[in-house]
Amino acid sequence: MSNPGNIVGGHKANLNNPNTSEESKQHSKEVLDQEFNGGNVDTSSGEKNPNNVAGGLKATVNNPQVSKEAKDSAQERLNEMGK
């Protein structure tokens, strides 16, 4: 089966699309209600990818619109990660 989050996202998009039929919207609502707890999908796996975290922290450090305090905090976390 495909990624449940992607399936739910597609059905939710269909529900909010003014160009789709009422029949199509009803089908999406039924799928969400019957198979995906109304669209509530647990996408948390418990752990974050450390490389993605480091990338976000590096982006924070280099973003000119971020405060000095946030940059310092991000740099500390990067140092703790050894990055």
Side-chain angles (χ1 to χ4, degrees), residues 2-54:
S2 299
N3 180 330
N6 291 346
I7 295 171
V8 168
H11 284 292
K12 286 183 175 182
N14 183 48
L15 291 173
N16 293 303
N17 185 343
N19 297 320
T20 58
S21 69
E22 287 304 314
E23 182 181 352
S24 175
K25 290 179 183 190
Q26 183 60 36
H27 172 73
S28 288
K29 183 166 178 17
E30 289 172 5
V31 170
L32 289 172
D33 290 343
Q34 294 172 2
E35 298 180 30
F36 294 100
N37 191 27
N40 298 321
V41 176
D42 181 20
T43 57
S44 64
S45 61
E47 293 205 24
K48 295 181 179 181
N49 181 324
N51 291 325
N52 290 350
V53 172

